[in-house]
Amino acid sequence: MITVTEATATAGALKRLSDEGVSIWLDDLSRKRIESGNLAELVENKNVVGVTTNPSIFQAAIGSGEGYEEQLTDLAVRGVTVDEAVRMMTTADVRAAADVLRGVYDATGGRDGRVSIEVDPRLAHETAATIAEAKQLAWLVDRPNVMIKIPATKAGLPAITEVIGLGISVNVTLIFSLERYREVMDAYLAGLEKAAAKGLDLATIHSVASFFVSRVDAEIDKRLTVLGTDAALALKGKAALANARLAYEAYEEVFGGERWTALSGARANKQRPLWASTGVKDPAYKDTLYVDELVAPGTVNTMPEATLNATADHGEITGDTVTGGYAQARADLAAVEALGVSYDEVVQQLEDEGVAKFEVAWNDLLATVTKSLDSKGVDAE
């Protein structure tokens, strides 16, 4: 049984994180989580103010079958295609989650209370199709607090500009490199300029840029382990934090510049950095590493539930752990590069793998739903 003191301590780390200007979002969603009241409970008791989804999350949720049987039966009776069935189920979940978070959205003026849904990952390298899909998803969910996730591929950049220019809020996903992050911020500003030219209210447009963290350490640590020298092993666990901290430095620079000043005068919102992939993959590291060490004002940290619970239980939130570390971050990345581990090669590999993993998860989801529809006596093709 949890005592009052323990409950206060549990809430403490999450509250401190929120007080430091970090918005806590949950990196998970399922119909069971919504209908059981669990999502509302996390909002009420664990400072959760947003939700992110991705193809892997939906594959796990819908693949479990819990809560989806009645809708699957209805979809089967209607004889819909498997693609339509998947979109009807995923947008229904996002719509319901958006309703749970609507109070947060209203209270924060649209800053938080957001639920993200991703464009079909098979469109990651197709600009026009990504734009069309984003428009369709915004229409299907039909909630002001939805964010459409667009991958930060080369083809995704002009799509980000166009979708923001239409007044649709965007969560840019799968950002690994500092160079690509700057391109993402530029795409966002260009989108705001387009929206302003159309006379849209910039205050209603929000965006986050999802900068992935743990996957950077997972790949670079693997290469450092192969090198095996004392110098290489001493750098393990440093690259991801260094990369993220330098991303925040870039954010401060871009959103402190003249181009931003003009947009800010038109009530535009900054595109906040969002720390994604914050679940620790190496058991040798503290399980709250990518929370404790990435505290900075105006950021979002989207956490798997295990990371959220770990932070609540034993997170060490000691104030800003980002802005004072830029010089050390540059030194750490330079040291990794000096050992022959190519930063450019790693981040491109991670982007390619990220797109591929989501596409595999989406195809697995399509296969699962096809089987479910077929079992109800309807051809899903």
Side-chain angles (χ1 to χ4, degrees), residues 114-164:
R114 294 282 178 172
V115 184
S116 299
I117 184 169
E118 191 148 348
V119 296
D120 186 329
R122 297 171 296 181
L123 307 177
H125 302 296
E126 299 178 36
T127 301
T130 292
I131 294 167
E133 171 93 344
K135 290 161 65 177
Q136 175 76 353
L137 285 174
W139 178 82
L140 278 171
V141 175
D142 193 27
R143 294 294 185 271
N145 49 332
V146 69
M147 268 189 172
I148 308 304
K149 291 181 81 172
I150 297 176
T153 57
K154 279 294 186 184
L157 294 171
I160 293 160
T161 295
E162 187 64 28
V163 173
I164 289 291

Side-chain angles (χ1 to χ4, degrees), residues 27 72-73 102 158 256 265 281 330:
D27 193 28
L72 275 166
T73 299
R102 182 58 188 265
K281 300 191 185 325
R330 272 189 286 277

Side-chain angles (χ1 to χ4, degrees), residues 335-347:
V336 169
E337 190 88 28
L339 291 174
V341 177
S342 169
Y343 175 86
D344 290 341
E345 180 185 310
V346 166
V347 293

Side-chain angles (χ1 to χ4, degrees), residues 16-31:
R16 287 195 296 275
L17 192 59
S18 299
D19 289 345
E20 289 292 336
V22 180
S23 292
I24 300 168
W25 290 8
L26 178 71
D27 193 28
D28 189 57
L29 186 64
S30 68
R31 192 158 297 180

Side-chain angles (χ1 to χ4, degrees), residues 55-92:
S56 298
I57 285 170
F58 280 128
Q59 196 278 329
I62 297 174
S64 75
E66 290 189 80
Y68 298 95
E69 278 303 310
E70 183 178 349
Q71 189 178 15
L72 275 166
T73 299
D74 291 344
L75 292 166
V77 169
R78 287 175 52 210
V80 303
T81 65
V82 64
D83 286 272
E84 184 182 353
V86 167
R87 273 312 182 206
M88 290 301 100
M89 287 188 285
T90 56
T91 54

Side-chain angles (χ1 to χ4, degrees), residues 349-372:
Q349 177 183 320
L350 290 172
E351 179 185 306
D352 294 343
E353 288 177 352
V355 171
K357 284 176 182 176
F358 282 167
E359 187 170 340
V360 168
W362 194 254
N363 287 329
D364 287 347
L365 174 56
L366 293 174
T368 297
V369 173
T370 298
K371 185 176 179 181
S372 295

Side-chain angles (χ1 to χ4, degrees), residues 221-239:
D221 283 1
K222 183 170 67 177
R223 298 179 184 216
L224 293 172
T225 299
V226 169
L227 290 174
T229 64
D230 289 345
L233 297 178
L235 287 168
K236 288 179 65 175
K238 294 186 176 181

